[in-house]
Amino acid sequence: MLEIRDVYKSFGKQKVLNGVSLKVSPGELQVLIGLNGSGKTTLLKILTGLLEPDKGKVQIGGRDVTQLPPEERYIGYVPQHTALFSHLTVKENILYSLHHGRGSEETFHHMVDLLALEPYLGRKPGELSGGYRSRVALARALTSTPKAMLLDEPITEVDRAKKEHILPLFRSVLVEMNIPVLYITHDPWEAEQIGTSFSIMKDGNVTRINSPAEAFAIVREQALCDGE
């Protein structure tokens, strides 16, 4: 279980997170929908350990990790831009976590097989399409055997036609890992394709919803109110 309990964060007089609580179960792929400025970047930084909350807790598998540094949290992270090491091969990128005592060769081979990366192991990231760079970033994160996964708009470099192929692939791989997954996007179609559950971030808080359509109805209504 990935659990955020009553998390607050302010920067000076600006309140960014206002009592955020969120639960993601093993095998659940929860999509968090939020526009720019809603607080989702701050929340991600708190989850990964780059920021400390003013108040509240972050727990993974029942363990309080609020005060732990990023490397001790065992969270896999795929950023918006894949952040692969350009001087390393695909294989070296995926195996990177093994140099820090995380993951295994067995997991590496499993990820390579699931994500169909075998023909590309000797290539550098610059030789790959956006879709395959995203696959490598996901394989690298999962090879580290994380206890939870965060994906922050991980396929922005991929066009719509390729997303139609890669999203079902990502979904099946992530669900198979049977760990809590939090997936960030502002695209309702993408959210519908990837998620098993949904929530919306608005005004520094998170609310569970039934579908991406519901989230974007809320966003549109707020935009109309703001424009009056």
Side-chain angles (χ1 to χ4, degrees):
M1 176 81 74
L2 170 64
E3 187 170 3
I4 304 159
R5 290 187 179 181
D6 205 26
V7 165
Y8 289 80
K9 185 66 181 180
S10 296
F11 298 100
K13 294 182 179 180
Q14 182 186 8
K15 290 184 178 180
V16 179
L17 301 181
N18 189 29
V20 170
S21 293
L22 177 69
K23 290 182 180 180
V24 188
S25 301
E28 180 182 359
L29 210 167
Q30 186 173 151
V31 177
L32 178 61
I33 300 163
L35 299 179
N36 290 336
S38 62
K40 63 182 186 294
T41 298
T42 298
L43 180 62
L44 280 175
K45 287 182 176 180
I46 287 173
L47 285 169
T48 56
L50 297 176
L51 277 178
E52 285 190 24
D54 298 331
K55 180 183 175 183
K57 291 183 178 181
V58 176
Q59 292 186 317
I60 300 174
R63 178 186 181 216
D64 187 349
V65 301
T66 313
Q67 303 300 321
L68 295 180
E71 63 272 15
E72 295 182 22
R73 295 191 176 207
Y74 295 93
I75 293 179
Y77 179 55
V78 180
Q80 185 172 3
H81 302 291
T82 52
L84 299 172
F85 299 112
S86 60
H87 64 291
L88 299 180
T89 64
V90 167
K91 181 177 181 178
E92 290 166 339
N93 266 284
I94 299 172
L95 287 171
Y96 186 77
S97 64
L98 271 68
H99 299 301
H100 301 279
R102 293 181 57 185
S104 67
E105 288 272 355
E106 181 181 359
T107 308
F108 160 75
H109 289 296
H110 187 47
M111 290 302 107
V112 167
D113 183 51
L114 285 177
L115 291 163
L117 289 170
E118 183 70 37
Y120 307 96
L121 293 178
R123 298 189 187 183
K124 300 287 181 67
E127 301 175 74
L128 303 177
S129 68
Y132 274 96
R133 286 195 298 271
S134 297
R135 293 191 198 197
V136 174
L138 180 60
R140 180 176 65 179
L142 290 174
T143 295
S144 70
T145 57
K147 295 181 180 178
M149 277 290 296
L150 305 177
L151 297 96
D152 184 11
E153 303 191 37
I155 54 173
T156 54
E157 299 177 357
V158 182
D159 62 39
R160 176 66 176 263
K162 291 178 181 175
K163 282 182 180 181
E164 291 181 359
H165 173 70
I166 203 169
L167 282 168
L169 176 64
F170 272 32
R171 192 180 195 272
S172 65
V173 171
L174 288 165
V175 170
E176 179 181 316
M177 297 304 292
N178 197 37
I179 57 176
V181 177
L182 188 63
Y183 188 104
I184 311 296
T185 186
H186 62 270
D187 182 335
W189 176 83
E190 185 176 326
E192 189 73 55
Q193 296 299 309
I194 196 77
T196 62
S197 64
F198 309 95
S199 56
I200 182 171
M201 187 149 201
K202 179 174 171 287
D203 298 329
N205 219 320
V206 172
T207 303
R208 289 292 291 261
I209 54 173
N210 294 317
S211 70
E214 182 181 343
F216 288 94
I218 293 170
V219 170
R220 284 193 297 271
E221 182 180 350
Q222 181 64 45
L224 288 173
C225 291
D226 291 343
E228 290 178 354

